[in-house]
Amino acid sequence: MASSFGTAVRVSVFGQSHSPAIGCVVDGLPAGFVPDLDDLRSFMARRAPGRTGWTTPRREADEPRIVAGLNQRGETCGAPLAIIIENTDTRSRDYDDVLRIPRPGHADFTAQAKWHGHQDVPGGGHFSGRLTAPLCAAGGIARQMLAARGVRIAAHLLRVGSAADEPFCALAHDADSRRRLVGQLDALGDGRTFPVISMSAGDAMLAQIDDARSARDSIGGAVECVACGLPAGMGGPLFDGIESAIARIAFGVGAVKSLEFGAGADVAGRRGSQNNDPFDVVDGSYAPVKNDAGGNLGGITSGAPLLFRVAIKPTPSIAQPQRSVDIASGATTTLATHGRHDPCIAPRAVPVMEAVAALALLDSWLAFPPQAT
Amino acid sequence: MASSFGTAVRVSVFGQSHSPAIGCVVDGLPAGFVPDLDDLRSFMARRAPGRTGWTTPRREADEPRIVAGLNQRGETCGAPLAIIIENTDTRSRDYDDVLRIPRPGHADFTAQAKWHGHQDVPGGGHFSGRLTAPLCAAGGIARQMLAARGVRIAAHLLRVGSAADEPFCALAHDADSRRRLVGQLDALGDGRTFPVISMSAGDAMLAQIDDARSARDSIGGAVECVACGLPAGMGGPLFDGIESAIARIAFGVGAVKSLEFGAGADVAGRRGSQNNDPFDVVDGSYAPVKNDAGGNLGGITSGAPLLFRVAIKPTPSIAQPQRSVDIASGATTTLATHGRHDPCIAPRAVPVMEAVAALALLDSWLAFPPQAT
Amino acid sequence: MASSFGTAVRVSVFGQSHSPAIGCVVDGLPAGFVPDLDDLRSFMARRAPGRTGWTTPRREADEPRIVAGLNQRGETCGAPLAIIIENTDTRSRDYDDVLRIPRPGHADFTAQAKWHGHQDVPGGGHFSGRLTAPLCAAGGIARQMLAARGVRIAAHLLRVGSAADEPFCALAHDADSRRRLVGQLDALGDGRTFPVISMSAGDAMLAQIDDARSARDSIGGAVECVACGLPAGMGGPLFDGIESAIARIAFGVGAVKSLEFGAGADVAGRRGSQNNDPFDVVDGSYAPVKNDAGGNLGGITSGAPLLFRVAIKPTPSIAQPQRSVDIASGATTTLATHGRHDPCIAPRAVPVMEAVAALALLDSWLAFPPQAT
Amino acid sequence: MASSFGTAVRVSVFGQSHSPAIGCVVDGLPAGFVPDLDDLRSFMARRAPGRTGWTTPRREADEPRIVAGLNQRGETCGAPLAIIIENTDTRSRDYDDVLRIPRPGHADFTAQAKWHGHQDVPGGGHFSGRLTAPLCAAGGIARQMLAARGVRIAAHLLRVGSAADEPFCALAHDADSRRRLVGQLDALGDGRTFPVISMSAGDAMLAQIDDARSARDSIGGAVECVACGLPAGMGGPLFDGIESAIARIAFGVGAVKSLEFGAGADVAGRRGSQNNDPFDVVDGSYAPVKNDAGGNLGGITSGAPLLFRVAIKPTPSIAQPQRSVDIASGATTTLATHGRHDPCIAPRAVPVMEAVAALALLDSWLAFPPQAT
């Protein structure tokens, strides 16, 4: 099923940028959980457009309406949860030329190759970043369920252009590092609007975004995500390991072009003696003493923080003229995109990566838990 | 299904390092194809241990026995293909202590957390790199089927430690670059045993591997893989895009810690005007004029080469003493691994990544083809 | 995924009897098809309650709102189709006691055993027959797509209590029988409101339904469904055969208690020489000369009509007092159901079985077509 | 995946009648279970050919070789279980004409329509009843696992032609009926070779089989299966209910043409007051006082015995001449099948239905258990 994923918790996402509504169906959630709708709205607001200078002026209330899956007390009831978000602020005229002239960096070209004009074109249709709104609706609830199990998931903007935030203190796993990581998570949760740990790094990033916008251009970024408090023994061998589960969903987000766990790409240059995480007895239980493995070995959690990073490509839509082709006439042409677009999509990808992690981890926990003893 | 993947072509991998046999079942292959068994043996030999100085001395014939799925003329017949590889050279005593003392960097620790002693321990059990042999058996046949459709898949060792091969000439997409890429693929297929484009780079890599072995250590690497000749329009939106399909399988290989498509992690530092691939008319059809997107947009192929890179961690088993814990006594201990292990697993991961690509691409082609006009 | 099915065409159904809305997501439909919404409304009206004397007085407009999956020309666009039906006439007070006192024949008892009070109780929640409305919405569109491919699907009420309609003339396959079957299908499509071939049989059925209602009781029935015009060679071996695909969906409809294909249960008493369908040359192509196999052999279509029958249990909710238990007090008690219920649900199951057939057959055609030559 | 099924416990069956081997992969079994191989052999022997007068003279040892999935103590280890059965007594010449002249009642005709000559023809290829051997290997182990959880599964031959065994005493659910059912199960397990409760009924069945063989014909039958000791609350709503799970697998067995649960097809003629199973307090817990629902409501177990019946068609291969067509010449012809075939396949279907039940029930238990309180 092209627009769904999951084993025990199945998520199906639907909608197009300018369809009447977008939404999702989430099947397999345990019954008896009361979603906190205020928390869900806050979570989704972190992804929503139109809030600040660094996002598109398109305004969407993005109010998630839960139309099925709760009982009369507001608890999950064992039936699939269905969430609808009405599309309101759609201005299709911005996209009139898109069917004829594919926008560089967008899926216009490949959707045409696949569906020969039947695809829904305005706003990118089913490929629109707007589809991450229902992903966040589902993921926001999964994140609450994991929080109730003692799991804390947080992401931050690791990089925009050449400006970098301090990384999560999650590759080390000693007591001091764990304390510092908690401090980072607390800082990110203190109500700040720009999702960085270091305020000065944030300022540098905002400056780069502003420069890109001024140049009628866009800029890329990177997001780092961590999940703390997972039990050891979650996940499965081979293709349903934790890394595979996260990878499949993360690369379903169009802007993601790379994914690394733990030490990530750095392992290519390392010796085993440096890369291996030794084990020790910590507070009476066994644990790795550092965490270059990123919280899992062989796809199964180790109890250390699950840690991954993604690179987010610069928004393809830019106001600068770009070279493309006119499919109707066969002529080379020049295209300048006039829609409303973020100069940098990476800040809004931060809660999306938390949603990706939450959905992958809740599913893995329920589908492939540590076996009962 | 934890040990399987795929939508139209489903692959299920079974076996443990020291079980009587390992193998795979491949369901959904088109009927009427005659696998070339000599080619399959050659392909699998590229992954097999025991061949040269840089691999483990464990010797396995790794002869794939097709026990079902062919008719009397040797054609695929619509029924699932089942392939068995007998395990012969198993020396379980090497692993006697592993259940008690988890090896750093291995899944011993997490498998214990999951199955509490029921897991199969010797040789890493189901987590063994040996499970990539049936993956290559399945992938080797998928690769043949794709070759018959005009698709050429090749990978090379991009890096070992600090030594790097020249990259595939696949991010550019002009006529000269395409010619150079063909030259690189031809070179890789000329019978050379060490899978690099540049011989001098290969020598530098072998020197680094030799240094690691001498230090009773191991070393990491990176593999780059390309697929040329794919039609535009293959793959699906969102979670069954080409990138998701490759990602799920690639991260099912235990040693993979990062995955990038096209420009990959570099996109974080780029402007949109630099990163977008403009379109033009090339030889009468539309195409991107460069390929930083790595051959797909929105998960659907663009007709340009599909390009990805993975980082391969250094072999966890090293002869140097490492710190671990004795689960029986609760004491910290020191472990030196005496089994037969590769000082660098990355060269053997080269055909494995070709198998990963072949299986993901054949499946995407059959499950999510360009729609018929 | 508990509330979904399908391989190439995936259907996910959501909603509860008294949730804000019910609906479905249908993924994998070919792009470029324009659903006929008037035809869809007519199809769903055949299932809708509140129309005539023989159904529940609950009135629901059952207007399907397609909120995603169409492009601006009203064509399917490759993205999942999402359909919402608002629940309007909900009277939850009718069901106040149901959580405490499970209704015999309903899933109240088993839902309580599964979810311990978290299940949504009013109206049967997710187990309500109302969930067949989105099934008909999805199936109505699948039926249109099959019609465009030359497939005609029709069902009729074969039996109510002891009154029986004439069966489809589909077990024979000679020219005269095929002509008679067409006549039966034409009759069923002539606008008649009670779905029987023989009007006098219909009168006898209505009399039995009226008797049951007068006795504050309900009555069971049977539905027979046929699909003509399918190509030979659709479906797969073993567990994804046509029979398995229909069976899985049909038994997902709560009232279905038996399912037979072709000669069905009668085969137990037959000789092979009687049961086998010989082959012959018919109009220049090969075909079975009779159709006791019900249009398929080994799960793959033969080109003869696909034929199946289901038994539909009497509506469990009856106004007569019935014995049950009060879960709060532990006491045996007597329950009379005061909700609005059909005395016979079987007539409304007729379009539902057409929907079941359409969804199973469209999916099998797309997922397991005859291989291209 | 055409030849697999299951959600938490996935079974993939492979092989053809005359391929080198047949077998299955079973993924998702809990770790730590020691299969009883003697019990498994006994179970499979009940299905095996060549034992008595009423089966084909083809002799197969049908020795299941477990090549993966057990650890060194013989416990399941979390990795997929892989079982191989070598084909030994294959006599392909018996089937030389089958590709040209499809046998009535077999899948030869439909396999040709699907694969145009690429299918494996001898012995029915992938459609052979021999594929029920690996199904029994998987099901035999699932049955042992369920036995360890207190579940008893048994089937018997309910009917052959016009001769009928006494039915299971499982539609009533009072103390006396439950005692009688236990007696019936004990009788079936006392070592008798012909799987009937009533010896005289068995004699009548054997006489009918003998008559059919003498007439160079075959005869159909019916099998009834029961599972006792299941907890209430297993299974899921809608399409993954217990009935759907059993149905999908049961109709994957080629000879099955009808399936009924509990009162089955009889419900069509019943009033609700008769068909509903009232609830009462039994031994301190709530239970239905009769079991016309066949042990489930809405697809979820009620705690009463799960009860189903299937009709098994007469063996299609008969020595009598039958009408068919010669695909090469286009001429009508006459075919007499000379292979080794059972005059009645129904007795061998008895353990197969136990395997079907065991696999569906173990999977439902693990994938959709009663939620923890």
Side-chain angles (χ1 to χ4, degrees):
Chain A
M1 195 173 180
S3 300
S4 78
F5 56 85
T7 299
V9 177
R10 296 279 309 172
V11 178
S12 174
V13 170
F14 59 83
Q16 300 114 250
S17 182
H18 292 204
S19 58
I22 58 178
C24 61
V25 179
V26 187
D27 199 358
L29 295 176
F33 182 82
V34 180
D36 179 334
L37 299 183
D38 287 331
D39 176 86
L40 182 61
R41 275 185 210 102
S42 303
F43 181 71
M44 293 185 66
R46 292 171 53 201
R47 190 216 69 91
R51 291 186 309 140
T52 80
W54 41 272
T55 73
T56 164
R58 175 171 174 174
R59 296 200 155 273
E60 289 285 358
D62 277 358
E63 175 71 20
R65 180 182 170 224
I66 301 182
V67 298
L70 301 182
N71 65 18
Q72 295 183 306
R73 291 189 301 278
E75 300 171 329
T76 55
C77 70
L81 203 69
I83 304 180
I84 307 291
I85 300 168
E86 302 285 333
N87 274 331
T88 53
D89 183 9
T90 60
R91 290 168 45 191
S92 294
R93 281 150 308 177
D94 286 348
Y95 301 93
D96 281 350
D97 294 335
V98 174
L99 183 56
R100 273 182 41 230
I101 308 173
R103 296 168 298 171
H106 276 285
D108 302 339
F109 180 83
T110 54
Q112 172 68 19
K114 186 172 194 70
W115 291 301
H116 324 298
H118 299 308
Q119 70 275 18
D120 190 28
V121 173
H126 194 47
F127 297 91
S128 167
R130 235 185 113 49
L131 271 289
T132 57
L135 194 66
C136 281
I141 292 172
R143 194 170 168 268
Q144 292 178 16
M145 285 187 164
L146 287 168
R149 293 168 174 238
V151 176
R152 195 167 178 183
I153 294 176
H156 70 119
L157 199 51
L158 183 64
R159 187 176 164 195
V160 168
S162 59
D165 196 12
E166 63 171 79
F168 278 133
C169 188
L171 292 172
H173 199 223
D174 56 290
D176 184 56
S177 300
R178 292 202 300 270
R179 205 157 29 232
R180 284 183 50 211
L181 178 58
V182 168
Q184 293 175 320
L185 301 184
D186 289 345
L188 286 168
D190 70 359
R192 59 188 68 188
T193 54
F194 199 69
V196 288
I197 297 169
S198 155
M199 287 301 186
S200 60
D203 291 340
M205 291 176 184
L206 285 167
Q208 300 224 355
I209 294 174
D210 211 50
D211 284 353
R213 191 210 325 267
S214 302
R216 296 192 300 162
D217 210 335
S218 62
I219 193 161
V223 174
E224 186 179 47
C225 185
V226 73
C228 303
L230 295 167
M234 275 174 50
L238 298 180
F239 312 106
D240 272 328
I242 291 283
E243 295 185 354
S244 285
I246 289 173
R248 186 174 170 227
I249 312 176
F251 280 112
V253 176
V256 170
K257 294 305 287 185
S258 82
L259 172 63
E260 307 178 81
F261 291 89
D266 278 358
V267 301
R270 289 188 174 184
R271 291 279 176 93
S273 56
Q274 171 193 9
N275 193 59
N276 286 346
D277 301 327
F279 299 105
D280 206 337
V281 182
V282 178
D283 300 337
S285 70
Y286 307 116
V289 298
K290 65 183 185 67
N291 188 33
D292 279 310
N296 80 102
L297 289 162
I300 299 179
T301 52
S302 67
L306 200 290
L307 180 72
F308 67 93
R309 283 176 301 285
V310 294
I312 305 290
K313 71 178 182 184
T315 319
S317 294
I318 56 177
Q320 278 185 38
Q322 298 182 89
R323 181 171 157 202
S324 188
V325 286
D326 184 321
I327 287 177
S329 68
T332 302
T333 186
T334 295
L335 179 79
T337 309
H338 298 299
R340 300 158 294 174
H341 303 287
D342 297 70
C344 181
I345 200 77
R348 294 175 59 199
V350 169
V352 175
M353 287 305 123
E354 295 180 9
V356 165
L359 290 166
L361 292 170
L362 181 64
D363 182 42
S364 292
W365 199 332
L366 295 174
F368 309 108
Q371 188 166 315
T373 46
Chain B
M1 196 172 181
S3 300
S4 78
F5 56 84
T7 298
V9 177
R10 295 279 310 171
V11 178
S12 174
V13 170
F14 59 83
Q16 301 114 250
S17 182
H18 293 202
S19 58
I22 58 179
C24 61
V25 179
V26 187
D27 200 358
L29 294 176
F33 183 82
V34 181
D36 179 333
L37 299 183
D38 287 332
D39 176 85
L40 182 61
R41 273 184 211 103
S42 301
F43 181 71
M44 294 185 65
R46 292 172 52 202
R47 192 217 68 92
R51 290 187 310 141
T52 78
W54 42 272
T55 73
T56 165
R58 175 173 175 172
R59 296 199 156 273
E60 289 285 358
D62 277 356
E63 174 71 18
R65 180 182 171 225
I66 301 181
V67 298
L70 300 181
N71 66 18
Q72 295 184 306
R73 293 189 300 278
E75 301 171 328
T76 54
C77 69
L81 203 69
I83 305 180
I84 306 292
I85 301 167
E86 302 284 334
N87 275 331
T88 52
D89 182 9
T90 60
R91 289 166 46 191
S92 294
R93 280 150 308 177
D94 287 347
Y95 300 93
D96 280 350
D97 294 335
V98 174
L99 184 56
R100 272 181 43 228
I101 307 174
R103 295 169 297 171
H106 275 285
D108 302 340
F109 180 82
T110 54
Q112 171 69 18
K114 187 171 194 71
W115 291 301
H116 323 298
H118 300 308
Q119 71 273 18
D120 190 28
V121 174
H126 193 48
F127 298 89
S128 167
R130 235 185 112 50
L131 271 287
T132 57
L135 193 66
C136 281
I141 291 172
R143 194 169 168 270
Q144 293 178 15
M145 284 188 165
L146 286 169
R149 291 167 175 239
V151 176
R152 195 166 178 184
I153 295 175
H156 71 118
L157 198 51
L158 183 65
R159 188 175 163 194
V160 167
S162 59
D165 196 12
E166 62 172 80
F168 278 133
C169 188
L171 291 173
H173 200 222
D174 55 289
D176 183 57
S177 299
R178 292 202 300 270
R179 203 154 34 230
R180 285 183 51 210
L181 178 59
V182 168
Q184 292 175 320
L185 300 185
D186 289 345
L188 287 168
D190 70 359
R192 60 188 65 189
T193 55
F194 199 68
V196 288
I197 298 169
S198 154
M199 288 302 190
S200 61
D203 290 342
M205 291 177 185
L206 285 166
Q208 299 224 356
I209 295 174
D210 211 51
D211 284 355
R213 190 209 327 265
S214 303
R216 296 191 300 160
D217 210 335
S218 62
I219 193 161
V223 173
E224 186 180 45
C225 184
V226 73
C228 302
L230 296 166
M234 274 175 51
L238 297 181
F239 313 104
D240 273 328
I242 291 284
E243 295 185 354
S244 284
I246 290 172
R248 187 175 170 225
I249 312 176
F251 280 112
V253 176
V256 171
K257 294 304 286 185
S258 82
L259 171 63
E260 306 177 82
F261 291 89
D266 278 358
V267 300
R270 288 188 175 186
R271 290 277 176 96
S273 56
Q274 172 193 9
N275 193 59
N276 286 345
D277 300 328
F279 298 106
D280 208 335
V281 183
V282 178
D283 302 338
S285 69
Y286 307 117
V289 298
K290 66 183 184 67
N291 188 33
D292 279 310
N296 80 103
L297 289 162
I300 300 180
T301 52
S302 67
L306 201 291
L307 179 72
F308 66 92
R309 286 176 299 284
V310 294
I312 305 290
K313 72 178 183 184
T315 319
S317 294
I318 56 177
Q320 278 184 38
Q322 298 182 89
R323 181 171 157 204
S324 188
V325 286
D326 185 321
I327 287 177
S329 69
T332 302
T333 185
T334 295
L335 180 79
T337 310
H338 299 298
R340 301 157 293 174
H341 303 287
D342 297 72
C344 181
I345 200 77
R348 293 175 60 199
V350 169
V352 175
M353 287 304 123
E354 295 179 9
V356 165
L359 290 166
L361 291 170
L362 181 64
D363 182 41
S364 291
W365 198 334
L366 295 173
F368 309 108
Q371 188 167 315
T373 45
Chain C
M1 195 172 181
S3 300
S4 78
F5 56 84
T7 298
V9 177
R10 296 278 311 170
V11 178
S12 174
V13 170
F14 60 82
Q16 302 113 251
S17 182
H18 293 204
S19 58
I22 58 179
C24 61
V25 180
V26 187
D27 200 358
L29 294 177
F33 183 82
V34 180
D36 179 334
L37 298 183
D38 287 331
D39 176 86
L40 182 61
R41 275 184 209 103
S42 301
F43 181 70
M44 293 185 66
R46 292 171 53 201
R47 191 217 69 92
R51 291 187 309 140
T52 77
W54 42 272
T55 74
T56 163
R58 175 171 175 174
R59 295 196 157 274
E60 289 285 358
D62 277 358
E63 175 69 19
R65 180 181 170 226
I66 302 182
V67 297
L70 301 182
N71 65 18
Q72 295 183 306
R73 292 189 301 277
E75 299 171 330
T76 54
C77 69
L81 203 69
I83 305 180
I84 306 292
I85 300 168
E86 302 285 333
N87 274 331
T88 52
D89 182 8
T90 60
R91 289 166 46 191
S92 293
R93 281 151 307 178
D94 288 348
Y95 300 93
D96 281 350
D97 294 336
V98 173
L99 185 55
R100 274 183 40 229
I101 308 174
R103 295 168 298 170
H106 275 285
D108 302 339
F109 180 83
T110 54
Q112 172 68 19
K114 186 170 195 70
W115 291 301
H116 323 299
H118 299 307
Q119 71 275 18
D120 190 28
V121 173
H126 194 48
F127 298 90
S128 167
R130 233 183 116 50
L131 271 288
T132 57
L135 193 66
C136 282
I141 291 172
R143 193 169 169 269
Q144 292 177 15
M145 285 187 163
L146 287 169
R149 291 167 175 238
V151 176
R152 196 168 177 182
I153 295 176
H156 69 119
L157 198 51
L158 183 64
R159 189 175 161 194
V160 168
S162 59
D165 195 12
E166 62 171 80
F168 278 133
C169 187
L171 292 172
H173 199 222
D174 54 291
D176 183 56
S177 299
R178 293 202 300 269
R179 203 157 30 233
R180 284 183 52 212
L181 177 58
V182 169
Q184 292 175 321
L185 300 185
D186 289 344
L188 286 168
D190 69 1
R192 59 188 66 189
T193 54
F194 199 68
V196 288
I197 299 169
S198 154
M199 288 301 188
S200 59
D203 290 342
M205 291 176 184
L206 284 166
Q208 300 223 355
I209 294 173
D210 210 51
D211 284 354
R213 190 212 323 269
S214 303
R216 298 191 299 162
D217 210 335
S218 63
I219 193 162
V223 173
E224 186 179 45
C225 185
V226 73
C228 303
L230 295 166
M234 274 175 51
L238 297 181
F239 313 105
D240 272 328
I242 291 284
E243 296 185 354
S244 284
I246 290 173
R248 184 171 173 228
I249 312 175
F251 280 113
V253 176
V256 170
K257 295 303 288 184
S258 82
L259 171 63
E260 307 177 82
F261 291 89
D266 278 358
V267 301
R270 288 188 175 185
R271 291 277 177 96
S273 55
Q274 172 192 9
N275 193 59
N276 287 346
D277 300 328
F279 298 107
D280 207 337
V281 183
V282 178
D283 301 336
S285 71
Y286 307 116
V289 299
K290 66 184 184 68
N291 187 33
D292 279 310
N296 82 101
L297 288 162
I300 299 179
T301 51
S302 67
L306 200 291
L307 180 72
F308 66 93
R309 284 176 300 285
V310 294
I312 305 290
K313 72 178 182 184
T315 319
S317 293
I318 56 177
Q320 278 185 39
Q322 298 181 88
R323 182 171 157 201
S324 187
V325 287
D326 184 322
I327 287 176
S329 69
T332 302
T333 185
T334 294
L335 180 79
T337 310
H338 298 298
R340 300 157 295 172
H341 303 287
D342 298 71
C344 181
I345 201 77
R348 293 175 60 198
V350 169
V352 175
M353 288 304 123
E354 295 179 9
V356 165
L359 290 166
L361 291 170
L362 182 64
D363 182 43
S364 291
W365 198 333
L366 295 174
F368 309 108
Q371 187 166 314
T373 46
Chain D
M1 196 174 182
S3 300
S4 78
F5 57 84
T7 299
V9 177
R10 296 279 311 171
V11 178
S12 174
V13 169
F14 60 82
Q16 301 114 249
S17 183
H18 292 203
S19 58
I22 58 179
C24 60
V25 179
V26 187
D27 199 358
L29 295 176
F33 183 82
V34 180
D36 179 334
L37 299 183
D38 287 332
D39 176 85
L40 182 61
R41 275 185 211 103
S42 301
F43 180 71
M44 293 186 65
R46 291 171 52 202
R47 192 216 68 91
R51 289 187 309 140
T52 78
W54 42 272
T55 73
T56 164
R58 177 173 173 172
R59 296 199 155 273
E60 289 285 358
D62 277 356
E63 175 70 18
R65 180 182 171 225
I66 301 182
V67 297
L70 301 182
N71 66 17
Q72 295 183 306
R73 292 190 300 278
E75 299 170 331
T76 54
C77 69
L81 203 70
I83 305 180
I84 306 292
I85 301 168
E86 302 284 335
N87 274 332
T88 52
D89 183 9
T90 60
R91 289 166 47 189
S92 294
R93 281 149 308 177
D94 288 347
Y95 300 93
D96 281 350
D97 296 335
V98 174
L99 184 56
R100 272 182 41 230
I101 307 173
R103 296 168 297 170
H106 276 285
D108 302 339
F109 179 82
T110 54
Q112 171 69 18
K114 187 171 194 69
W115 291 302
H116 324 298
H118 300 307
Q119 71 274 18
D120 189 29
V121 174
H126 193 48
F127 298 91
S128 167
R130 233 184 114 50
L131 271 288
T132 57
L135 193 66
C136 281
I141 292 172
R143 193 170 169 269
Q144 292 178 16
M145 285 189 165
L146 287 168
R149 292 168 174 238
V151 176
R152 195 167 178 182
I153 294 176
H156 70 120
L157 199 50
L158 183 65
R159 188 174 161 195
V160 167
S162 59
D165 196 12
E166 63 171 80
F168 278 133
C169 187
L171 292 173
H173 199 222
D174 55 290
D176 183 56
S177 299
R178 293 201 300 269
R179 204 156 32 232
R180 284 183 50 212
L181 178 59
V182 169
Q184 292 175 321
L185 300 185
D186 289 344
L188 287 168
D190 70 0
R192 58 188 66 188
T193 55
F194 199 68
V196 288
I197 299 169
S198 154
M199 288 300 189
S200 60
D203 291 341
M205 291 176 184
L206 286 166
Q208 300 223 355
I209 294 172
D210 211 51
D211 284 353
R213 190 211 324 267
S214 303
R216 296 191 299 161
D217 209 335
S218 63
I219 193 161
V223 173
E224 187 180 45
C225 184
V226 73
C228 302
L230 295 167
M234 275 175 50
L238 298 180
F239 313 105
D240 272 328
I242 291 284
E243 295 185 354
S244 284
I246 290 172
R248 187 176 170 225
I249 313 175
F251 279 112
V253 176
V256 170
K257 294 303 286 185
S258 82
L259 171 63
E260 306 177 83
F261 291 90
D266 278 358
V267 301
R270 288 187 176 187
R271 290 279 177 95
S273 57
Q274 171 193 8
N275 192 59
N276 287 345
D277 300 328
F279 299 106
D280 207 337
V281 184
V282 177
D283 301 338
S285 70
Y286 308 116
V289 299
K290 66 185 184 66
N291 188 32
D292 279 310
N296 80 102
L297 289 162
I300 300 179
T301 52
S302 66
L306 201 291
L307 180 72
F308 67 92
R309 284 176 299 285
V310 294
I312 304 290
K313 72 178 183 183
T315 318
S317 294
I318 56 178
Q320 278 186 38
Q322 298 182 89
R323 181 171 156 201
S324 188
V325 286
D326 185 322
I327 286 176
S329 68
T332 303
T333 185
T334 294
L335 180 79
T337 310
H338 298 298
R340 300 157 295 172
H341 301 286
D342 298 72
C344 181
I345 201 76
R348 293 175 59 199
V350 168
V352 175
M353 288 304 124
E354 294 179 9
V356 165
L359 290 166
L361 292 169
L362 182 64
D363 182 42
S364 291
W365 198 332
L366 295 173
F368 309 108
Q371 188 167 315
T373 47

